[in-house]
């Protein structure tokens, strides 16, 4: 049961303690979000979005939702953005027959993000959108932490550039979901995905919604907020993986783990979706990785 080991339980304990306003819990957590991004007294009943930017002059537009908080820096990556990237460390899914494209892209694009974070901000800069939100239609009390490392034009800051039919850059997204309703909180979902060749059409949906796998519950596993801040960047090439406990933490663990690609480059096209079983080595790396998210 490596997925539910000591580090994961520390994360979950921190989450619950933070909901009670016990800010000292953040010191024990391996999760960068819980240690450094969240505020003391985090409310797990409502959405809490943050945008981490290297710029000192970035300002949220007037039409930005009130709950969004901007974490600005000093026009460098050193104080805010780079520590988040460094906390996640190296991403290196091992080459596996038939899955080379996914592994190579995930590894290459994260290496590129680490390189960007060690340099000087360009335009648009690398920003991080980190969000915690409750899940609707869940079988109990579930909450998701999702972080997107983005080198694309941001709709809030580079509004016109973000409206172009195609945008340069990548969206590198990681997420995890906890079930909080039982006697002991449990990790029930983890995922990582990178989007390249981005087209600004359609609505970004999660793999459960896009592919509708017959062996995956089509209730709580459909996350309507999966696209998040970049919901309008629905086209392009998406490569990723997800691990899901189909029991949602309510009974014995019933894992579903898949590696996938979603290709859609013309607005009128139906996405081309490929799904394959996730190798055990990839699952171990994923679950280790998202503990630090």
């Amino acid at each position: 049961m490596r997925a539910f080991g000591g580090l994961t339980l520390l994360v979950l304990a921190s989450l619950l303690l933070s909901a009670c306003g016990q800010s000292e819990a953040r010191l024990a957590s391996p999760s960068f979000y819980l240690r450094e991004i969240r505020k003391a007294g985090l409310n797990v009943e409502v959405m809490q979005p943050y945008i981490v930017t290297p710029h000192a002059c970035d300002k949220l537009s007037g039409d930005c939702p009130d709950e969004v908080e901007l974490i600005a820096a000093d026009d460098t990556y050193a104080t805010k953005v780079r520590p988040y990237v460094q906390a996640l460390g190296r991403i290196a899914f091992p080459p596996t027959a038939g899955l080379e494209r996914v592994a190579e892209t995930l590894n290459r694009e994260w290496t590129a993000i680490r390189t960007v974070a060690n340099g000087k901000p360009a335009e648009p800069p690398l920003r991080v959108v980190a969000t915690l939100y409750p899940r609707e239609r869940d079988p109990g009390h579930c909450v998701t932490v999702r972080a997107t490392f983005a080198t694309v034009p941001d709709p809030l800051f580079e509004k016109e550039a973000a409206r172009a039919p195609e945008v340069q850059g990548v969206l590198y997204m990681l997420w995890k979901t906890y079930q909080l309703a039982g006697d002991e909180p449990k990790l029930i979902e983890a995922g990582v995905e990178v989007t390249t060749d981005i087209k600004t059409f359609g609505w970004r949906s999660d793999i459960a919604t896009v592919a509708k796998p017959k062996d995956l519950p089509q209730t709580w596993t459909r996350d309507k907020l999966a696209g998040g801040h970049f919901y309008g960047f629905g086209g392009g090439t998406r490569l990723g993986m997800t691990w899901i406990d189909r029991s949602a933490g309510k009974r014995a663990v019933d894992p579903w783990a898949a590696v996938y690609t979603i290709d859609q480059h013309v607005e009128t096209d139906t996405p081309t979706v490929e799904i394959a079983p996730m190798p055990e080595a990839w699952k171990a790396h994923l679950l280790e990785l998202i503990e630090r998210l």
Side-chain angles (χ1 to χ4, degrees):
M1 295 282 287
R2 173 67 183 86
F4 307 101
L7 287 180
T8 296
L9 292 179
L10 278 174
V11 174
L12 299 172
S14 294
L15 190 67
L16 290 178
L17 288 172
S18 68
C20 300
Q22 299 184 30
S23 59
E24 63 272 14
R26 65 195 304 173
L27 301 177
S29 174
S31 164
F32 188 88
Y33 177 86
L34 293 177
R35 289 199 321 270
E36 304 294 340
I37 301 298
R38 72 174 182 86
K39 300 295 182 70
L42 175 69
N43 183 356
V44 297
E45 304 295 337
V46 298
M47 175 177 282
Q48 297 280 328
Y50 299 89
I51 299 177
V52 187
T53 175
H55 288 328
C57 60
D58 271 348
K59 293 182 180 180
L60 298 174
S61 63
D63 57 355
C64 180
D66 293 339
E67 63 267 23
V68 177
E69 293 192 33
L70 184 66
I71 300 176
D74 55 357
D75 294 323
T76 75
Y77 289 125
T79 59
K80 301 297 182 181
V81 175
R82 188 184 304 159
Y84 208 159
V85 175
Q86 291 175 331
L88 289 176
R90 184 167 174 256
I91 295 179
F93 291 97
T96 303
L99 301 176
E100 294 90 349
R101 181 189 181 199
V102 178
E104 179 185 347
T105 306
L106 285 168
N107 299 345
R108 181 190 68 237
E109 295 301 340
W110 184 250
T111 297
I113 285 175
R114 294 180 73 185
T115 299
V116 169
N118 281 310
K120 296 181 179 180
E123 292 302 325
L126 168 64
R127 297 185 181 94
V128 187
V129 180
T131 306
L132 180 145
Y133 55 92
R135 293 288 285 269
E136 295 184 3
R137 302 191 304 163
D138 61 29
H141 186 184
C142 298
V143 61
T144 293
V145 176
R146 185 178 295 270
T148 303
F149 296 78
T151 58
V152 298
D154 188 294
L156 287 181
F157 303 106
E158 294 88 27
K159 194 171 184 179
E160 292 305 315
R163 289 176 173 171
E166 302 181 8
V167 296
Q168 298 297 312
V170 302
L171 299 174
Y172 207 109
M173 187 178 294
L174 305 100
W175 66 94
K176 52 189 177 182
T177 300
Y178 303 118
Q179 170 59 262
L180 307 180
D183 295 334
E184 182 180 278
K186 297 177 181 178
L187 175 71
I188 63 170
E189 181 183 33
V192 57
E193 178 186 287
V194 63
T195 308
T196 64
D197 304 318
I198 299 171
K199 310 293 190 298
T200 56
F201 61 75
W203 183 280
R204 289 180 61 87
S205 298
D206 58 274
I207 186 64
T209 302
V210 173
K212 302 178 178 63
K214 293 181 180 179
D215 53 350
L216 188 64
Q218 295 299 304
T219 52
W220 70 271
T221 60
R222 293 195 187 188
D223 180 4
K224 72 176 185 178
L225 297 177
H229 188 68
F230 300 98
Y231 65 89
F233 292 15
T237 297
R238 298 166 58 186
L239 304 100
M241 68 193 74
T242 185
W243 175 93
I244 295 173
D245 174 9
R246 288 176 288 196
S247 78
K250 304 299 286 185
R251 56 184 188 276
V253 177
D254 180 18
W256 185 90
V259 179
Y260 61 86
T261 64
I262 304 172
D263 282 298
Q264 186 173 17
H265 297 279
V266 179
E267 187 169 3
T268 56
D269 280 354
T270 299
T272 300
V273 182
E274 296 181 3
I275 296 180
M278 185 189 300
E280 285 297 317
W282 289 32
K283 183 179 76 172
H285 187 36
L286 171 64
L287 295 177
E288 176 189 24
L289 174 64
I290 59 90
E291 286 180 330
R292 302 192 296 270
L293 181 62

